[in-house]
Amino acid sequence: MGVLTGCEKNSSSEKDAGPTVSRSGSTPAIRKILCLHGGGGNAKEFQYNSGIKGLREALGSDYELVFAQAPDGGLWMRDPPEGKSKPTTDPDWAAESISILNSIVEEQGPFYGILGYSQGAAFIPVYLSRVPDGTFQMAAMFGGYLPTTHQGLISKMKAEAPFDNIPALVWLGVTDWIANDNLATPFKNPTLLLDSRAGHVVPSGSDTTFNRVVQVIKKATKDR
């Protein structure tokens, strides 16, 4: 299991300058999934989240979860300087986070998927808008939302969506006060799951939709 707490930063966050993942040769036996913790969290604690532990067990030994660490006190995207009522317009607002993930993908790839929780889920379409098509084969987002307080990031996201039609899972708990199903809008034909009992959590074995989550992650296919 890989744990990343800091990486060498690249100088550019543009999509055409992102990491190139080799697809030559046979597919690796182990499917790696890059995992993004929630805002203000950290990679080490996220490994021991009950939902993550349950997901790791359900996926089995054919999958490896690689945990990335966000900068800025655990934030993938810093809040707007003048508060959420005045969104940022800088398309490179999250350049440091993008560089960190680029380094992980370049050094530890290829990756099968990318997974995120809360702000980590919100950051997934931002990151997908900056990397080459095929960098990931699927995306899973738990308790996320579109980062509408960052209009520069949203504009880049809209320009690149639906990210080569990557299979996407958007999961929400019915009592979640943070998540929003608008996170599904940049993707083509995403799987949207609403759990009738869950809140702002990573789905675990006690949730009614957990088995479906595992199934979707394992059987991601592109609808072109």
Side-chain angles (χ1 to χ4, degrees):
M1 182 189 310
V3 181
L4 277 298
T5 57
C7 300
E8 182 180 349
K9 300 175 181 61
N10 296 330
S11 59
S12 172
S13 62
E14 290 303 312
K15 180 176 181 180
D16 58 3
T20 301
V21 179
S22 173
R23 298 296 176 187
S24 62
S26 59
T27 302
I30 301 297
R31 287 178 163 183
K32 290 185 177 182
I33 299 177
L34 181 58
C35 301
L36 312 187
H37 59 75
N42 63 70
K44 184 175 181 179
E45 290 180 356
F46 196 42
Q47 293 180 77
Y48 299 104
N49 174 280
S50 60
I52 290 296
K53 290 170 68 176
L55 186 60
R56 183 191 297 121
E57 182 178 350
L59 290 173
S61 59
D62 290 340
Y63 292 79
E64 177 185 356
L65 305 187
V66 178
F67 296 85
Q69 175 61 52
D72 298 315
L75 297 176
W76 299 105
M77 298 168 284
R78 292 175 287 113
D79 288 341
E82 299 182 44
K84 295 182 179 180
S85 62
K86 189 171 182 180
T88 65
T89 58
D90 182 0
D92 292 321
W93 184 254
E96 185 176 7
S97 294
I98 290 169
S99 292
I100 287 171
L101 297 185
N102 280 351
S103 294
I104 295 172
V105 171
E106 188 169 20
E107 294 167 9
Q108 299 199 40
F111 279 87
Y112 167 69
I114 185 169
L115 173 157
Y117 165 62
S118 195
Q119 196 193 65
F123 195 63
I124 284 178
V126 174
Y127 187 55
L128 290 176
S129 73
R130 306 302 179 106
V131 297
D133 294 339
T135 300
F136 303 100
Q137 297 179 48
M138 60 79 58
M141 292 150 279
F142 307 134
Y145 48 87
L146 281 185
T148 54
T149 58
H150 301 292
Q151 287 301 307
L153 301 182
I154 290 287
S155 295
K156 178 68 173 178
M157 181 193 306
K158 288 181 177 179
E160 299 296 337
F163 320 118
D164 196 37
N165 300 339
I166 186 173
L169 166 65
V170 175
W171 181 93
L172 308 171
V174 72
T175 62
D176 193 336
W177 67 99
I178 295 175
N180 193 309
D181 62 5
N182 64 7
L183 184 57
T185 58
F187 300 94
K188 181 180 179 181
N189 299 326
T191 299
L192 180 61
L193 295 180
L194 180 64
D195 194 283
S196 61
R197 296 183 298 189
H200 191 62
V201 296
V202 177
S204 63
S206 61
D207 294 314
T208 59
T209 54
F210 181 74
N211 289 339
R212 178 62 175 151
V213 168
V214 175
Q215 181 185 48
V216 172
I217 290 175
K218 285 186 172 183
K219 296 184 178 181
T221 56
K222 288 188 177 181
D223 179 14
R224 295 183 179 276

